Amino acid sequence: MYDTPKAETAVTSNEIKFSANNVDVYYGDTHAIKNVDVQIEANTVTAFIGPSGCGKSTFLRCLNRMNDTIDICRVEGDIRLDGEDIYDKKVDPVQLRAKVGMVFQKPNPFPKSIYDNIAYGPRIHGLAKNKADLDVIVEKSLRRGAIWDEVKDRLHAPGTGLSGGQQQRLCIARAVATEPEVLLMDEPCSALDPIATAQVEELIDELRSQYSVVIVTHSMQQAARVSQKTAFFHLGNLVEFGDTSKIFTNPEDPRTESYITGRIG
Ligand SMILES: Nc1ncnc2c1ncn2[C@@H]1O[C@H](COP(=O)(O)OP(=O)(O)O)[C@@H](O)[C@H]1O
Ligand SMILES: [Mg+2]
């Protein structure tokens, strides 16, 4: 029913980037994430799927402490990146978000030039000693975002003047400019047309060689195309987690089966 060629040929390492244990998230009295355990591997695309409101974005935002910016949100439990507790008092969330980059549903380039969109993070994190260094980082990032050829002759034009698909690849390039280890993407293709979606999906597959990628998607076809691991969330519970090919062909839990066959969600 779903085509999963990449999942079958995938080489997945077993190095664990993120280890989350007993994670609960509340918005006031709303219990949005319920006792979730999950491990995210390096060099792997992990997809979070499930019906609208099941907690995918909430859990994704736990991984780079974006929920810290929501007043009523409370996160409990243990989340480690390379063995280190990311909620420890000594962790600076700004530094954490450079290591764990994020790409949002709607492309959101800064109202600045293409060059400055990419240079912004490296500048604030002091990654370039001089202009020549910065030029190298900008080019490298735009290449990793698979958009260099399209923008190399207009680096000083505004990022907001690009097409939607180009803007999203620019945002991915901006996220990789700070040398992250993990890229979080929350429905990164939902505002894009099918061609731009295919380009971003291809890019995600390339990014896996260097980063661990976690993608929230409401499209099961997309999860099947781009991911090696899939987590199925339902009503705040992580119902099932495993190899994408297994989740889509032979799920263990009846709720997963209902979802992938279109009976819930
Ligand atoms: N900023 C917020 N304030 C209050 N409740 C929220 C907020 N964000 C999400 N929620 C609630 O948390 C639950 C999970 O939402 P969300 O993580 O956005 O789900 P998904 O991404 O799977 O659609 C829902 O009940 C939603 O209404
Ligand atoms: Mg969401």
Side-chain angles (χ1 to χ4, degrees):
M1 172 164 68
Y2 295 101
D3 112 52
T4 55
K6 282 170 189 153
E8 274 146 26
T9 54
V11 184
T12 48
S13 77
N14 292 318
E15 187 199 334
I16 303 300
K17 289 309 285 180
F18 268 112
S19 181
N21 286 291
N22 306 315
V23 175
D24 285 272
V25 184
Y26 303 85
Y27 296 100
D29 295 334
T30 307
H31 194 178
I33 290 290
K34 299 169 185 161
N35 197 29
V36 165
D37 293 342
V38 74
Q39 299 203 312
I40 307 286
E41 292 176 15
N43 305 115
T44 300
V45 179
T46 301
F48 290 173
I49 64 167
S52 181
C54 67
K56 304 178 295 295
S57 297
T58 297
F59 190 74
L60 191 76
R61 289 195 300 263
C62 290
L63 301 176
N64 70 347
R65 292 185 51 176
M66 283 295 281
N67 289 321
D68 289 15
T69 65
I70 302 172
D71 276 347
I72 59 167
C73 188
R74 199 167 87 243
V75 177
E76 293 177 358
D78 186 66
I79 305 181
R80 287 170 189 272
L81 173 61
D82 295 325
E84 285 190 54
D85 177 3
I86 64 167
Y87 284 84
D88 191 283
K89 283 191 189 65
K90 65 177 190 285
V91 172
D92 172 1
V94 175
Q95 295 292 341
L96 174 69
R97 290 175 202 140
K99 275 209 263 183
V100 185
M102 193 153 195
V103 175
F104 299 87
Q105 187 165 352
K106 196 167 167 291
N108 59 349
F110 302 136
K112 292 173 183 289
S113 69
I114 292 167
Y115 186 99
D116 285 335
N117 262 275
I118 307 299
Y120 181 82
R123 280 191 184 117
I124 53 173
H125 292 284
L127 301 183
K129 284 197 287 294
N130 51 41
K131 172 78 164 68
D133 267 9
L134 198 55
D135 289 350
V136 169
I137 293 174
V138 168
E139 177 171 344
K140 189 171 80 176
S141 304
L142 289 168
R143 284 188 187 280
R144 285 196 188 154
I147 190 175
W148 170 251
D149 290 336
E150 291 156 70
V151 300
K152 64 180 182 220
D153 299 323
R154 48 169 167 158
L155 293 177
H156 298 287
T160 48
L162 298 169
S163 72
Q166 288 173 325
Q167 288 187 21
Q168 197 60 304
R169 282 179 285 134
L170 179 69
C171 291
I172 293 171
R174 181 178 66 190
V176 302
T178 55
E179 297 289 337
E181 295 172 27
V182 182
L183 288 172
L184 308 179
M185 301 190 182
D186 195 347
E187 306 208 19
C189 300
S190 64
L192 306 184
D193 64 39
I195 291 171
T197 295
Q199 287 170 328
V200 170
E201 287 183 359
E202 194 179 324
L203 173 57
I204 290 169
D205 193 54
E206 288 164 18
L207 292 169
R208 166 163 82 89
S209 66
Q210 268 166 317
Y211 312 98
S212 169
V213 180
V214 187
I215 178 175
V216 168
T217 177
H218 64 257
S219 159
M220 288 183 276
Q221 289 83 353
Q222 179 167 72
R225 284 193 299 265
V226 303
S227 72
Q228 293 77 50
K229 296 280 179 180
T230 294
F232 170 62
F233 288 86
H234 185 239
L235 301 174
N237 300 295
L238 175 56
V239 170
E240 190 160 350
F241 177 65
D243 288 340
T244 296
S245 51
K246 167 104 170 54
I247 298 278
F248 283 103
T249 55
N250 190 18
E252 305 272 332
D253 193 286
R255 289 166 292 180
T256 317
E257 162 122 51
S258 295
Y259 184 69
I260 63 165
T261 56
R263 271 175 285 156
I264 53 173

Coordinates of all heavy atoms in Angstrom, one line a residue, residues 130-218:
N130 N 36.2 35.8 10.4 CA 36.2 37.0 9.5 C 35.3 36.8 8.4 O 34.6 35.7 8.3 CB 37.7 37.2 9.0 CG 38.2 35.9 8.4 OD1 37.5 35.2 7.7 ND2 39.5 35.6 8.7
K131 N 35.2 37.7 7.5 CA 34.3 37.7 6.4 C 34.5 36.5 5.5 O 33.5 35.8 5.0 CB 34.4 39.0 5.6 CG 33.6 39.1 4.3 CD 32.1 39.3 4.5 CE 31.4 39.8 3.3 NZ 31.3 38.8 2.2
A132 N 35.8 36.2 5.2 CA 36.1 35.0 4.4 C 35.5 33.7 5.0 O 34.9 32.9 4.3 CB 37.6 34.9 4.1
D133 N 35.7 33.6 6.3 CA 35.2 32.4 7.0 C 33.7 32.3 6.8 O 33.1 31.3 6.6 CB 35.4 32.5 8.5 CG 36.7 31.9 9.0 OD1 37.4 31.5 8.1 OD2 36.8 31.8 10.2
L134 N 33.0 33.5 7.0 CA 31.6 33.5 6.9 C 31.1 33.2 5.5 O 30.1 32.4 5.4 CB 31.1 34.9 7.3 CG 29.7 35.1 7.8 CD1 29.3 34.1 8.9 CD2 29.4 36.5 8.2
D135 N 31.8 33.7 4.5 CA 31.5 33.3 3.1 C 31.5 31.8 2.9 O 30.6 31.3 2.2 CB 32.4 34.0 2.1 CG 32.3 35.5 2.0 OD1 31.3 36.0 2.6 OD2 33.1 36.2 1.4
V136 N 32.5 31.2 3.5 CA 32.6 29.7 3.4 C 31.4 29.0 4.0 O 30.8 28.1 3.4 CB 34.0 29.2 4.0 CG1 34.0 27.7 4.0 CG2 35.1 29.8 3.1
I137 N 31.1 29.5 5.2 CA 29.9 28.9 5.9 C 28.6 29.1 5.2 O 27.8 28.2 5.0 CB 29.8 29.5 7.4 CG1 31.0 29.1 8.2 CG2 28.5 29.0 8.0 CD1 31.0 29.7 9.6
V138 N 28.5 30.3 4.6 CA 27.2 30.6 3.9 C 27.1 29.7 2.7 O 26.1 29.0 2.4 CB 27.2 32.1 3.5 CG1 26.0 32.3 2.5 CG2 26.9 32.9 4.7
E139 N 28.2 29.6 1.9 CA 28.2 28.7 0.7 C 27.9 27.2 1.1 O 27.1 26.6 0.5 CB 29.5 28.8 -0.1 CG 29.4 27.9 -1.3 CD 30.5 28.0 -2.3 OE1 31.2 29.1 -2.3 OE2 30.7 27.1 -3.1
K140 N 28.6 26.8 2.1 CA 28.5 25.4 2.5 C 27.1 25.1 2.9 O 26.5 24.0 2.6 CB 29.5 25.1 3.6 CG 29.6 23.6 4.0 CD 30.8 23.4 4.9 CE 30.4 23.7 6.3 NZ 31.4 23.4 7.3
S141 N 26.5 26.0 3.7 CA 25.1 25.8 4.2 C 24.1 25.8 3.1 O 23.2 24.9 3.1 CB 24.8 26.9 5.3 OG 25.8 26.9 6.3
L142 N 24.3 26.7 2.2 CA 23.3 26.8 1.0 C 23.5 25.5 0.2 O 22.5 25.0 -0.4 CB 23.6 28.1 0.2 CG 23.1 29.4 0.9 CD1 23.7 30.6 0.2 CD2 21.6 29.5 1.1
R143 N 24.7 25.0 0.1 CA 24.8 23.8 -0.7 C 24.1 22.6 0.0 O 23.5 21.8 -0.6 CB 26.3 23.4 -0.9 CG 27.0 24.3 -1.9 CD 28.4 23.8 -2.2 NE 29.1 24.7 -3.1 CZ 29.0 24.7 -4.5 NH1 28.1 23.8 -5.0 NH2 29.6 25.6 -5.2
R144 N 24.3 22.6 1.4 CA 23.7 21.5 2.1 C 22.1 21.6 2.1 O 21.4 20.6 2.2 CB 24.1 21.5 3.6 CG 25.5 20.9 3.8 CD 25.8 20.6 5.2 NE 27.1 20.3 5.3 CZ 27.9 20.4 6.4 NH1 27.3 20.8 7.5 NH2 29.1 20.0 6.4
G145 N 21.7 22.9 1.9 CA 20.2 23.1 1.8 C 19.8 22.9 0.3 O 18.6 23.1 0.0
A146 N 20.7 22.4 -0.5 CA 20.3 22.2 -1.9 C 19.7 23.4 -2.6 O 18.7 23.2 -3.4 CB 19.4 20.9 -2.1
I147 N 20.2 24.5 -2.3 CA 19.7 25.7 -2.9 C 20.8 26.7 -3.5 O 20.5 27.7 -4.1 CB 18.7 26.5 -1.9 CG1 17.9 27.6 -2.7 CG2 19.5 27.0 -0.7 CD1 16.9 28.3 -1.8
W148 N 22.0 26.3 -3.3 CA 23.1 27.2 -3.7 C 23.0 27.6 -5.2 O 23.1 28.8 -5.5 CB 24.5 26.5 -3.4 CG 25.7 27.1 -4.0 CD1 26.4 26.7 -5.1 CD2 26.2 28.4 -3.6 NE1 27.4 27.6 -5.4 CE2 27.3 28.6 -4.5 CE3 25.9 29.3 -2.6 CZ2 28.2 29.8 -4.3 CZ3 26.8 30.4 -2.5 CH2 27.8 30.7 -3.3
D149 N 22.8 26.6 -6.1 CA 22.8 27.0 -7.5 C 21.7 28.0 -7.9 O 21.9 28.8 -8.8 CB 22.7 25.7 -8.4 CG 23.9 24.9 -8.3 OD1 25.0 25.4 -8.0 OD2 23.8 23.6 -8.5
E150 N 20.6 27.9 -7.1 CA 19.5 28.8 -7.4 C 19.7 30.2 -6.9 O 19.1 31.1 -7.3 CB 18.2 28.2 -6.9 CG 17.7 27.0 -7.6 CD 16.9 26.1 -6.8 OE1 15.7 26.5 -6.5 OE2 17.3 25.0 -6.4
V151 N 20.6 30.4 -5.9 CA 20.7 31.7 -5.3 C 22.1 32.3 -5.3 O 22.3 33.5 -4.9 CB 20.2 31.7 -3.8 CG1 18.8 31.2 -3.7 CG2 21.1 30.8 -2.9
K152 N 23.1 31.6 -5.8 CA 24.5 32.1 -5.7 C 24.7 33.4 -6.4 O 25.6 34.2 -6.0 CB 25.4 31.0 -6.3 CG 25.3 30.7 -7.7 CD 26.3 29.7 -8.2 CE 26.1 29.5 -9.7 NZ 26.2 28.1 -10.1
D153 N 23.8 33.8 -7.4 CA 24.0 35.1 -8.1 C 23.2 36.2 -7.5 O 23.1 37.3 -8.0 CB 23.6 34.9 -9.6 CG 24.5 33.9 -10.3 OD1 25.7 33.9 -9.9 OD2 24.0 33.1 -11.1
R154 N 22.5 35.9 -6.4 CA 21.6 36.9 -5.8 C 21.6 36.8 -4.3 O 20.6 36.9 -3.6 CB 20.2 36.9 -6.3 CG 19.6 35.5 -6.4 CD 18.1 35.6 -6.7 NE 17.6 34.3 -7.0 CZ 16.3 34.1 -7.0 NH1 15.4 34.9 -6.6 NH2 15.8 32.9 -7.3
L155 N 22.8 36.6 -3.7 CA 22.9 36.4 -2.3 C 22.5 37.6 -1.5 O 22.1 37.5 -0.3 CB 24.4 36.1 -1.9 CG 24.9 34.7 -2.4 CD1 26.4 34.6 -2.0 CD2 24.1 33.6 -1.9
H156 N 22.5 38.8 -2.1 CA 22.1 40.0 -1.3 C 20.6 40.4 -1.6 O 20.2 41.4 -1.1 CB 23.1 41.1 -1.5 CG 24.4 40.6 -1.0 ND1 24.7 40.5 0.4 CD2 25.5 40.1 -1.6 CE1 25.9 39.9 0.5 NE2 26.4 39.7 -0.7
A157 N 19.9 39.6 -2.3 CA 18.5 39.8 -2.5 C 17.7 39.3 -1.3 O 18.2 38.4 -0.6 CB 18.0 39.1 -3.8
P158 N 16.5 39.8 -1.0 CA 15.8 39.3 0.2 C 15.4 37.9 0.1 O 14.9 37.4 -0.9 CB 14.6 40.2 0.3 CG 14.6 41.1 -1.0 CD 15.8 40.8 -1.7
G159 N 15.5 37.2 1.3 CA 15.1 35.8 1.3 C 13.6 35.6 1.1 O 13.2 34.6 0.6
T160 N 12.9 36.6 1.5 CA 11.4 36.5 1.4 C 11.0 36.6 -0.1 O 9.8 36.4 -0.4 CB 10.7 37.7 2.1 OG1 11.4 38.9 1.8 CG2 10.9 37.5 3.6
G161 N 11.9 37.0 -1.0 CA 11.5 37.0 -2.4 C 11.6 35.7 -3.1 O 11.2 35.6 -4.3
L162 N 12.0 34.7 -2.4 CA 12.1 33.3 -3.1 C 10.8 32.7 -3.1 O 9.9 33.0 -2.3 CB 13.1 32.5 -2.3 CG 14.6 33.0 -2.2 CD1 15.4 32.2 -1.2 CD2 15.2 32.9 -3.6
S163 N 10.7 31.6 -3.9 CA 9.4 30.8 -3.9 C 9.3 30.1 -2.6 O 10.3 30.0 -1.8 CB 9.4 29.8 -5.0 OG 10.4 28.8 -4.7
G164 N 8.1 29.6 -2.3 CA 7.9 28.9 -1.0 C 8.9 27.7 -0.8 O 9.4 27.5 0.3
G165 N 9.0 26.9 -1.8 CA 9.9 25.8 -1.7 C 11.4 26.2 -1.5 O 12.1 25.6 -0.7
Q166 N 11.8 27.3 -2.2 CA 13.1 27.8 -2.0 C 13.3 28.4 -0.6 O 14.3 28.2 0.0 CB 13.4 28.9 -3.0 CG 13.6 28.3 -4.4 CD 13.7 29.5 -5.5 OE1 13.1 30.5 -5.4 NE2 14.5 29.2 -6.5
Q167 N 12.3 29.1 -0.1 CA 12.3 29.6 1.2 C 12.5 28.5 2.3 O 13.3 28.6 3.2 CB 11.0 30.4 1.6 CG 10.9 31.7 0.8 CD 9.7 32.5 1.3 OE1 9.2 32.3 2.4 NE2 9.3 33.4 0.5
Q168 N 11.8 27.4 2.0 CA 11.9 26.3 3.0 C 13.3 25.7 3.0 O 13.9 25.4 4.0 CB 10.8 25.2 2.8 CG 10.6 24.3 4.0 CD 10.2 25.0 5.3 OE1 10.9 25.9 5.7 NE2 9.1 24.5 5.8
R169 N 13.9 25.6 1.8 CA 15.3 25.1 1.7 C 16.3 26.1 2.3 O 17.3 25.7 2.9 CB 15.6 24.7 0.3 CG 15.0 23.3 -0.1 CD 15.3 22.9 -1.5 NE 14.5 23.6 -2.5 CZ 15.0 24.2 -3.6 NH1 16.2 24.0 -4.0 NH2 14.1 24.8 -4.4
L170 N 15.9 27.4 2.1 CA 16.8 28.4 2.8 C 16.7 28.2 4.3 O 17.7 28.4 5.0 CB 16.3 29.8 2.4 CG 17.0 31.0 3.0 CD1 18.4 31.1 2.5 CD2 16.2 32.3 2.7
C171 N 15.5 28.0 4.8 CA 15.4 27.8 6.3 C 16.1 26.5 6.8 O 16.7 26.5 7.9 CB 13.9 27.7 6.7 SG 13.0 29.3 6.4
I172 N 16.2 25.5 5.9 CA 16.9 24.3 6.3 C 18.4 24.7 6.3 O 19.2 24.3 7.2 CB 16.6 23.1 5.3 CG1 15.1 22.7 5.6 CG2 17.6 22.0 5.5 CD1 14.6 21.7 4.5
A173 N 18.8 25.4 5.2 CA 20.3 25.9 5.2 C 20.6 26.7 6.4 O 21.7 26.6 7.0 CB 20.5 26.7 3.9
R174 N 19.7 27.6 6.8 CA 19.9 28.4 8.0 C 20.1 27.5 9.2 O 20.9 27.8 10.1 CB 18.7 29.4 8.2 CG 18.9 30.3 9.3 CD 17.7 31.3 9.4 NE 16.4 30.6 9.7 CZ 15.2 31.2 9.7 NH1 15.1 32.4 9.3 NH2 14.2 30.5 10.0
A175 N 19.2 26.5 9.3 CA 19.3 25.6 10.5 C 20.7 24.8 10.5 O 21.2 24.6 11.6 CB 18.2 24.6 10.5
V176 N 21.2 24.5 9.3 CA 22.4 23.7 9.3 C 23.7 24.6 9.5 O 24.8 24.1 9.8 CB 22.6 22.8 8.1 CG1 21.5 21.8 8.0 CG2 22.8 23.5 6.8
A177 N 23.5 25.9 9.3 CA 24.6 26.8 9.4 C 25.3 26.8 10.8 O 26.5 27.2 10.9 CB 24.2 28.2 9.0
T178 N 24.6 26.5 11.8 CA 25.2 26.5 13.1 C 25.8 25.1 13.5 O 26.0 24.8 14.7 CB 24.2 26.9 14.2 OG1 23.1 26.1 14.2 CG2 23.8 28.4 14.0
E179 N 26.0 24.3 12.5 CA 26.5 22.9 12.7 C 25.8 22.1 13.8 O 26.3 21.7 14.7 CB 28.0 23.0 13.2 CG 29.0 23.6 12.2 CD 29.2 22.7 11.0 OE1 29.0 21.5 11.1 OE2 29.5 23.2 9.9
P180 N 24.5 21.9 13.5 CA 23.7 21.2 14.5 C 24.0 19.7 14.4 O 24.6 19.2 13.5 CB 22.2 21.4 14.0 CG 22.4 21.6 12.5 CD 23.7 22.3 12.3
E181 N 23.5 19.0 15.4 CA 23.6 17.5 15.4 C 22.2 16.9 15.0 O 22.2 15.8 14.4 CB 24.0 17.0 16.7 CG 25.4 17.5 17.1 CD 25.8 17.2 18.5 OE1 25.2 16.2 19.0 OE2 26.6 17.9 19.0
V182 N 21.2 17.6 15.3 CA 19.8 17.1 15.0 C 19.0 18.2 14.4 O 19.2 19.4 14.7 CB 19.1 16.7 16.4 CG1 17.7 16.2 16.1 CG2 20.0 15.8 17.2
L183 N 18.2 17.9 13.4 CA 17.3 18.8 12.8 C 15.8 18.3 13.1 O 15.5 17.2 12.8 CB 17.5 18.8 11.3 CG 18.8 19.5 10.8 CD1 18.9 19.3 9.3 CD2 18.7 21.0 11.1
L184 N 15.1 19.2 13.7 CA 13.7 19.0 13.9 C 12.8 19.7 12.9 O 13.1 20.9 12.6 CB 13.3 19.5 15.3 CG 14.1 19.1 16.5 CD1 13.6 19.7 17.8 CD2 14.2 17.6 16.6
M185 N 11.9 19.0 12.3 CA 11.1 19.6 11.2 C 9.6 19.3 11.5 O 9.2 18.2 11.6 CB 11.4 19.0 9.8 CG 12.9 19.2 9.5 SD 13.1 18.7 7.8 CE 14.9 19.0 7.7
D186 N 8.8 20.4 11.7 CA 7.4 20.2 12.0 C 6.6 20.5 10.7 O 6.3 21.6 10.3 CB 7.0 21.2 13.1 CG 5.7 20.8 13.7 OD1 5.0 20.0 13.1 OD2 5.4 21.3 14.8
E187 N 6.1 19.4 10.1 CA 5.3 19.5 8.9 C 6.0 20.4 7.9 O 5.4 21.4 7.4 CB 3.9 19.9 9.2 CG 3.3 19.0 10.2 CD 1.8 18.9 10.1 OE1 1.2 19.2 9.1 OE2 1.2 18.4 11.1
P188 N 7.3 20.2 7.5 CA 8.0 21.2 6.7 C 7.5 21.3 5.3 O 7.9 22.3 4.6 CB 9.4 20.6 6.7 CG 9.2 19.1 6.8 CD 8.1 19.0 7.8
C189 N 6.7 20.4 4.8 CA 6.2 20.5 3.4 C 4.7 20.8 3.3 O 4.2 20.9 2.2 CB 6.4 19.1 2.7 SG 8.2 18.7 2.7
S190 N 4.1 21.1 4.4 CA 2.6 21.2 4.3 C 2.2 22.5 3.6 O 1.1 22.6 3.1 CB 2.0 21.1 5.7 OG 2.4 22.1 6.5
A191 N 3.1 23.5 3.5 CA 2.8 24.7 2.7 C 3.3 24.7 1.3 O 3.3 25.7 0.6 CB 3.2 26.0 3.5
L192 N 3.9 23.5 0.9 CA 4.6 23.5 -0.4 C 3.8 22.7 -1.5 O 3.0 21.8 -1.1 CB 6.0 22.8 -0.2 CG 6.9 23.4 0.9 CD1 8.2 22.7 0.8 CD2 7.0 24.9 0.7
D193 N 4.1 23.0 -2.7 CA 3.4 22.3 -3.8 C 4.2 20.9 -4.0 O 5.2 20.7 -3.4 CB 3.4 23.1 -5.1 CG 4.8 23.4 -5.6 OD1 5.7 22.5 -5.6 OD2 5.0 24.5 -6.1
P194 N 3.6 20.0 -4.8 CA 4.2 18.7 -4.9 C 5.7 18.6 -5.4 O 6.5 17.8 -4.9 CB 3.3 17.9 -5.9 CG 2.0 18.7 -5.8 CD 2.3 20.1 -5.5
I195 N 6.0 19.6 -6.3 CA 7.4 19.6 -6.8 C 8.4 20.0 -5.7 O 9.4 19.4 -5.4 CB 7.5 20.4 -8.0 CG1 6.8 19.7 -9.2 CG2 9.0 20.6 -8.4 CD1 6.6 20.5 -10.4
A196 N 8.0 21.1 -5.0 CA 8.8 21.6 -3.9 C 8.9 20.6 -2.8 O 9.9 20.4 -2.1 CB 8.3 22.9 -3.4
T197 N 7.8 19.9 -2.5 CA 7.8 18.8 -1.5 C 8.8 17.7 -1.9 O 9.5 17.3 -1.0 CB 6.3 18.2 -1.4 OG1 5.5 19.3 -0.9 CG2 6.3 17.0 -0.4
A198 N 8.8 17.3 -3.1 CA 9.7 16.2 -3.6 C 11.1 16.7 -3.4 O 12.0 15.9 -3.0 CB 9.4 15.9 -5.0
Q199 N 11.4 18.0 -3.7 CA 12.8 18.5 -3.5 C 13.2 18.5 -2.0 O 14.3 18.1 -1.7 CB 12.9 19.9 -4.0 CG 12.9 19.9 -5.6 CD 12.7 21.4 -6.1 OE1 12.1 22.2 -5.5 NE2 13.3 21.6 -7.3
V200 N 12.3 18.9 -1.2 CA 12.6 18.9 0.3 C 12.8 17.5 0.8 O 13.7 17.2 1.6 CB 11.6 19.7 1.1 CG1 11.8 19.5 2.6 CG2 11.7 21.2 0.7
E201 N 11.9 16.6 0.3 CA 12.0 15.2 0.8 C 13.4 14.6 0.3 O 14.0 13.8 1.1 CB 10.9 14.3 0.2 CG 9.6 14.6 0.9 CD 8.5 13.7 0.4 OE1 8.7 12.9 -0.5 OE2 7.3 13.9 0.9
E202 N 13.8 14.9 -0.9 CA 15.1 14.4 -1.4 C 16.2 15.0 -0.5 O 17.2 14.3 -0.1 CB 15.3 14.9 -2.8 CG 16.4 14.2 -3.5 CD 16.5 14.6 -5.0 OE1 15.4 14.9 -5.6 OE2 17.6 14.7 -5.5
L203 N 16.1 16.3 -0.1 CA 17.1 16.9 0.7 C 17.1 16.2 2.1 O 18.2 16.0 2.6 CB 16.7 18.4 0.9 CG 17.6 19.2 1.8 CD1 19.0 19.2 1.5 CD2 17.1 20.7 1.8
I204 N 16.0 15.9 2.6 CA 15.9 15.3 4.0 C 16.7 14.0 3.9 O 17.5 13.6 4.8 CB 14.5 15.0 4.4 CG1 13.8 16.4 4.7 CG2 14.4 14.1 5.6 CD1 12.3 16.3 4.9
D205 N 16.5 13.2 2.8 CA 17.3 12.0 2.7 C 18.8 12.2 2.7 O 19.6 11.4 3.2 CB 16.8 11.2 1.4 CG 17.3 9.8 1.4 OD1 17.0 9.1 2.4 OD2 17.9 9.4 0.5
E206 N 19.2 13.3 2.0 CA 20.7 13.6 2.0 C 21.2 14.0 3.4 O 22.3 13.7 3.8 CB 21.0 14.7 1.0 CG 20.8 14.3 -0.5 CD 20.7 15.5 -1.4 OE1 21.1 16.6 -1.0 OE2 20.3 15.3 -2.5
L207 N 20.4 14.8 4.1 CA 20.8 15.4 5.4 C 21.1 14.3 6.4 O 21.9 14.4 7.3 CB 19.7 16.3 5.9 CG 19.5 17.6 5.1 CD1 18.2 18.3 5.6 CD2 20.7 18.5 5.3
R208 N 20.4 13.1 6.2 CA 20.5 12.0 7.1 C 22.0 11.5 7.2 O 22.4 11.0 8.2 CB 19.6 10.9 6.6 CG 19.8 9.6 7.1 CD 18.5 8.8 6.8 NE 18.5 8.2 5.5 CZ 19.0 7.1 5.2 NH1 19.6 6.3 6.1 NH2 18.9 6.6 3.9
S209 N 22.8 11.7 6.1 CA 24.2 11.3 6.2 C 25.0 12.0 7.2 O 26.0 11.6 7.8 CB 24.8 11.3 4.8 OG 25.0 12.7 4.5
Q210 N 24.5 13.3 7.6 CA 25.2 14.1 8.5 C 24.5 14.4 9.8 O 25.1 14.7 10.8 CB 25.6 15.4 7.9 CG 27.0 15.3 7.3 CD 27.3 16.4 6.3 OE1 26.4 16.8 5.6 NE2 28.5 16.9 6.4
Y211 N 23.2 14.3 9.8 CA 22.4 14.7 11.0 C 21.4 13.6 11.3 O 21.1 12.7 10.5 CB 21.7 16.0 10.7 CG 22.5 17.1 10.1 CD1 22.5 17.3 8.7 CD2 23.3 17.8 10.8 CE1 23.3 18.3 8.1 CE2 24.1 18.8 10.3 CZ 24.1 19.0 8.9 OH 24.9 20.0 8.3
S212 N 20.9 13.8 12.5 CA 19.7 13.0 12.9 C 18.5 13.9 12.6 O 18.6 15.1 12.9 CB 19.9 12.7 14.3 OG 18.7 12.1 14.9
V213 N 17.5 13.4 11.9 CA 16.4 14.2 11.5 C 15.1 13.7 12.1 O 14.9 12.5 12.0 CB 16.2 14.3 9.9 CG1 15.0 15.1 9.5 CG2 17.5 14.8 9.2
V214 N 14.4 14.6 12.7 CA 13.0 14.2 13.3 C 12.0 15.0 12.5 O 12.1 16.2 12.6 CB 12.9 14.4 14.8 CG1 11.6 13.8 15.3 CG2 14.1 13.8 15.5
I215 N 11.1 14.3 11.9 CA 10.1 15.1 11.1 C 8.6 14.7 11.6 O 8.3 13.5 11.7 CB 10.3 14.8 9.6 CG1 9.2 15.5 8.8 CG2 10.3 13.3 9.3 CD1 9.4 15.3 7.2
V216 N 7.9 15.7 11.9 CA 6.4 15.6 12.1 C 5.7 15.7 10.8 O 6.0 16.6 10.0 CB 5.9 16.7 13.0 CG1 4.3 16.6 13.1 CG2 6.4 16.5 14.4
T217 N 4.9 14.7 10.5 CA 4.1 14.8 9.2 C 2.7 14.2 9.4 O 2.5 13.3 10.1 CB 4.9 14.1 8.1 OG1 4.1 14.1 6.9 CG2 5.2 12.6 8.4
H218 N 1.8 14.9 8.7 CA 0.4 14.3 8.8 C 0.2 13.4 7.6 O -0.8 12.8 7.4 CB -0.6 15.4 8.8 CG -0.6 16.3 7.6 ND1 -0.1 17.5 7.6 CD2 -1.1 16.0 6.3 CE1 -0.2 18.0 6.4 NE2 -0.8 17.1 5.6

